[in-house]
Amino acid sequence: MKLLDVRRLITEIDSARVVDDVSFHVDAGETYALLGESGSGKSMTALSLMRLLPDGGRVSSGAVELDGENVLRLPEQEMRRVRGGRMAMIFQEPMLALNPVIKIGEQIGEALALHQGLGGRAARAAARGLLDAVGVPDAARRLDTYPFELSGGLRQRVMIAMSLAGEPRLLIADEPTTALDVTIQAQVLDVLRKLKAERQMGMLLITHDLGVVAENADRVGVMYAGELVEQGERDAFFAAPQHPYSRMLFEALPRPGDDGRLTTIPGQVPRLDRPLEGCRFAPRCPFAFARCRDESPGWQTINGQQVRCHLAGTLPAGTPPAFAARVHAVQTPQPLLQVDGLKVHFPIRRGLFQRTAGYVRAVDDVSLTIQVGRTLALVGESGCGKTTVGKALLRLIEPTAGSIVLGGETITARNAASLRRQAQMVFQDPFSSLNPRMRVADVLLEGMDALGVGAARDRRDVVAQLLQQVGLPDDAGGRYPHAFSGGQRQRIAIARALAVSPRLVICDEPTSALDVSVQAQILNLLKDLQDRLGLAYLFITHNLAVVEYLAHEVAVMYLGRIVEQGTAADLLHAPRHPYTQALVSAVPRIEAHRDVGGTRLSGDQPSPLNPPKGCHFNPRCPQASDIC
């Protein structure tokens, strides 16, 4: 039975047709996944269904029927009852969707009052029940907290609870796990699967993560440049994707044991404010021919799957040709960075005289070694202290205790200037770390000028070489950061780090919010630079698929401590610590019929202000005993 039926939907924003002739349906109790890169039109499709388009946006034609009723024809007053009632949406960024100055209980109560007419104690009891239903611990207390007091995973659960307040028939989840830790992502997806089964809801899941699609979707639709280009049953899609774009998304994924280059998709999603002729993917397609550039393909059915491609059913078996594998140089490993007993404790000051009342033990006795030309991945959940370790190594945060030896030289506050020449950092969000008022060339020159790198007359030439080295266009130096895509801004951040010729680069979640195709470009770039320049990387991440592809050694961190350390192959394929086992089991995989059960962590990390006695992991460990 069709719960949602979308027919020939066209949405325009100013002169750009951002959703172009899109048709699909969602049945009751079914999950339909919309897959594609940023800019492909997934979120605009969802906002069109909810009639929440930005200024200048309008649905110019098409039909959106919910239980047989066309919601596009409803007056706004009636649509308010549908929106959040019969059809609800979980937004991508809960911190932006939740009101920061209103308590959680009041925000859920507002939805309950609108859609169920509840107030007072009845509304509070219902709100508590919703938080219990989505697995929020200590729900009664959480009702009186503000959004900023909750972790990312808990904020996402609160968003789910609010969306359920109107008892919707259709739930739209827009990238519900983007940038969440793998364990928190698994918990959120478990909650959504359970609720869908209990309430027989239909779900429209919007994501760019193929692993999430494989574990949660019943049917899949692939979007590109505002159009659906392929759709079909999940198992058939993962067994044999028919569109070249779908195939290249698969090829861009890091795979276990794959030591060669990842296949990347050249170019970018085309701008939609210009006339587009022929197949929209043709400029990036390795199989395109003359007809593809002149004639837009229609729908064809291949083995039950629908696909828009002139070459449907005739593409060669397998995937598009990949680049040649890397050739490793055999080197004798030499220690570049040695860290022993590193501690970072932040004092908690209270009272009129700001006396120290305790310490947040963000990093508590961490030791690690990174060798020349090698990559050490530091993995763990948010809040475990990974980023603090990276900043402490560069003395962006002053360590409380411990020794740091880089290139045979002990690093102290006095010689921190020489440290800046040898070690640099690529931050998680390049848009926040790049000065929006400086041109890219000036961003790169800033570090060179400050540290006196090279002759002043040669620095402009070095900048041009750096931009070429990281794959940016020749005119990039004269443009501002806002003129670039997320992947290009990350390349600028990498170029800035390389500008002073460092030996060690600390990469803090550099691919956490990137599409799989852009992620492949950045990972290839990092590998190329390591081979060419002999760089060592400390790669901070929670994405274990990336770790398996890029890292030589792995250190697993929990609540300020390293709990397991070893080679990437040994640690990821035969983890010994229960926490590492839980991390590995929580990774979404694209293998068909994979068991999504396994080890699941409950709750969140304890506070580093008051860590548990004994093993810090024992409150969440399924194998804990008295000795722990």
Side-chain angles (χ1 to χ4, degrees):
M1 175 186 172
K2 289 183 182 180
L3 172 63
L4 174 73
D5 190 14
V6 180
R7 297 193 304 274
R8 310 206 68 172
L9 180 68
I10 296 177
T11 300
E12 297 177 346
I13 296 181
D14 298 326
S15 60
R17 187 174 283 195
V18 294
V19 180
D20 195 358
D21 200 19
V22 167
S23 299
F24 63 91
H25 71 272
V26 183
D27 294 338
E30 176 189 56
T31 297
Y32 182 91
L34 270 182
L35 181 68
E37 295 174 279
S38 295
S40 62
K42 306 185 304 294
S43 293
M44 282 301 167
T45 299
L47 293 174
S48 300
L49 306 185
M50 296 285 289
R51 288 173 50 178
L52 289 174
L53 291 167
D55 292 341
R58 67 186 183 93
V59 176
S60 56
S61 67
V64 177
E65 292 188 356
L66 184 64
D67 282 328
E69 183 178 28
N70 191 347
V71 299
L72 298 181
R73 296 179 179 175
L74 296 176
E76 179 58 26
Q77 185 174 0
E78 182 62 28
M79 187 62 197
R80 288 176 186 171
R81 297 189 181 95
V82 174
R83 189 189 298 127
R86 292 160 55 196
M87 177 166 52
M89 187 166 177
I90 304 169
F91 294 93
Q92 182 170 353
E93 177 47 71
M95 196 58 196
L96 297 178
L98 294 171
N99 192 320
V101 297
I102 297 180
K103 293 179 180 179
I104 295 300
E106 294 176 31
Q107 295 192 54
I108 300 175
E110 185 179 14
L112 290 167
L114 178 63
H115 297 293
Q116 295 191 37
L118 297 179
R121 292 183 179 178
R124 185 175 177 85
R128 178 178 176 179
L130 286 169
L131 292 183
D132 283 329
V134 299
V136 173
D138 197 6
R141 184 175 65 85
R142 303 290 187 184
L143 291 172
D144 295 316
T145 60
Y146 292 94
F148 69 86
E149 298 180 83
L150 304 178
S151 67
L154 286 178
R155 285 198 293 266
Q156 196 63 281
R157 290 172 188 238
V158 169
M159 276 297 305
I160 296 172
M162 288 182 64
S163 68
L164 296 176
E167 299 182 344
R169 297 268 290 135
L170 175 72
L171 185 62
I172 302 172
D174 185 6
E175 300 276 11
T177 60
T178 294
L180 290 182
D181 298 323
V182 65
T183 52
I184 304 302
Q185 171 181 273
Q187 293 173 14
V188 169
L189 292 174
D190 282 344
V191 167
L192 289 175
R193 280 194 295 266
K194 178 184 175 184
L195 291 170
K196 186 193 75 168
E198 289 177 349
R199 302 184 180 216
Q200 277 299 293
M201 293 186 302
M203 186 183 302
L204 176 61
L205 176 63
I206 296 171
T207 184
H208 60 254
D209 191 323
L210 284 162
V212 170
V213 172
E215 292 190 350
N216 294 275
D218 299 297
R219 290 186 302 115
V220 181
V222 181
M223 283 196 80
Y224 183 79
E227 293 182 334
L228 269 176
V229 296
E230 182 173 359
Q231 58 179 334
E233 298 292 329
R234 176 197 59 189
D235 291 346
F237 173 75
F238 278 88
Q242 296 295 325
H243 198 281
Y245 177 59
S246 306
R247 292 189 176 196
M248 295 183 80
L249 288 178
F250 277 90
E251 271 296 285
L253 287 173
R255 283 181 170 81
D258 183 2
D259 198 34
R261 291 176 58 86
L262 296 172
T263 297
T264 60
I265 306 177
Q268 297 178 7
V269 177
R271 292 178 57 177
L272 300 178
D273 57 352
R274 300 173 180 175
L276 298 173
E277 296 181 357
C279 172
R280 298 183 178 186
F281 187 60
R284 307 173 73 189
C285 180
F287 304 112
F289 63 110
R291 184 184 177 192
C292 301
R293 296 178 178 87
D294 298 331
E295 181 185 337
S296 180
W299 284 106
Q300 299 185 54
T301 302
I302 308 294
N303 298 327
Q305 291 170 253
Q306 292 182 299
V307 60
R308 297 183 69 167
C309 181
H310 293 306
L311 292 168
T314 66
L315 290 176
T319 50
F323 294 95
R326 295 187 308 141
V327 178
H328 282 287
V330 178
Q331 298 176 337
T332 302
Q334 298 177 342
L336 173 65
L337 176 73
Q338 293 177 289
V339 180
D340 185 41
L342 181 68
K343 296 182 180 181
V344 181
H345 296 173
F346 298 107
I348 302 296
R349 304 187 187 280
R350 292 182 180 141
L352 179 64
F353 298 103
Q354 292 292 287
R355 291 175 177 160
T356 301
Y359 291 90
V360 174
R361 301 174 183 271
V363 179
D364 202 16
D365 199 14
V366 164
S367 300
L368 49 87
T369 300
I370 303 177
Q371 296 168 338
V372 174
R374 306 273 286 184
T375 300
L376 171 67
L378 189 60
V379 303
E381 296 171 281
S382 295
C384 70
K386 306 187 301 294
T387 298
T388 305
V389 168
K391 290 181 176 180
L393 296 183
L394 292 180
R395 304 196 87 89
L396 299 176
I397 295 174
E398 198 62 29
T400 305
S403 65
I404 303 169
V405 179
L406 181 62
E409 181 182 11
T410 300
I411 303 301
T412 64
R414 294 182 179 180
N415 62 359
S418 67
L419 169 68
R420 300 287 185 270
R421 283 291 303 269
Q422 296 190 69
Q424 286 286 304
M425 191 164 187
V426 178
F427 294 92
Q428 181 172 356
D429 182 1
F431 196 65
S432 297
S433 63
L434 298 173
N435 191 327
R437 298 187 177 185
M438 292 176 67
R439 298 181 192 271
V440 169
D442 296 327
V443 169
L444 270 58
L445 284 168
E446 186 178 30
M448 300 168 70
D449 292 339
L451 296 174
V453 176
R457 63 180 180 276
D458 298 330
R459 288 174 190 160
R460 289 280 173 182
D461 293 335
V462 172
V463 166
Q465 293 172 11
L466 280 169
L467 293 175
Q468 185 179 20
Q469 200 171 39
V470 299
L472 288 169
D474 296 336
D475 64 347
R479 295 154 65 187
Y480 291 94
H482 73 266
F484 296 90
S485 68
Q488 288 176 318
R489 284 197 290 263
Q490 199 61 281
R491 289 170 183 262
I492 295 169
I494 293 170
R496 178 177 61 179
L498 297 178
V500 297
S501 301
R503 301 171 68 189
L504 170 70
V505 179
I506 299 172
C507 301
D508 185 10
E509 301 274 14
T511 63
S512 64
L514 298 181
D515 298 323
V516 64
S517 55
V518 180
Q519 172 183 273
Q521 295 171 7
I522 298 300
L523 294 178
N524 281 341
L525 173 62
L526 291 173
K527 270 196 170 182
D528 288 346
L529 293 171
Q530 187 171 60
D531 287 346
R532 197 182 312 147
L533 305 175
L535 294 172
Y537 294 129
L538 175 62
F539 198 88
I540 298 169
T541 185
H542 60 257
N543 188 333
L544 295 186
V546 169
V547 170
E548 197 161 13
Y549 175 73
L550 189 68
H552 301 94
E553 288 86 30
V554 182
V556 181
M557 197 167 179
Y558 184 80
L559 207 63
R561 294 178 178 175
I562 303 291
V563 296
E564 187 169 1
Q565 195 166 356
T567 66
D570 290 343
L571 190 141
L572 295 177
H573 292 102
R576 303 198 172 216
H577 195 281
Y579 178 60
T580 313
Q581 293 170 358
L583 288 180
V584 172
S585 72
V587 177
R589 303 284 186 184
I590 64 172
E591 292 86 353
H593 309 300
R594 177 178 177 266
D595 178 16
V596 298
T599 305
R600 287 288 190 263
L601 293 182
S602 59
D604 296 302
Q605 287 187 91
S607 169
L609 176 62
N610 185 26
K613 295 181 180 179
C615 172
H616 285 177
F617 186 58
N618 82 81
R620 302 172 74 192
C621 181
Q623 303 175 33
S625 61
D626 291 341
I627 194 174
C628 301

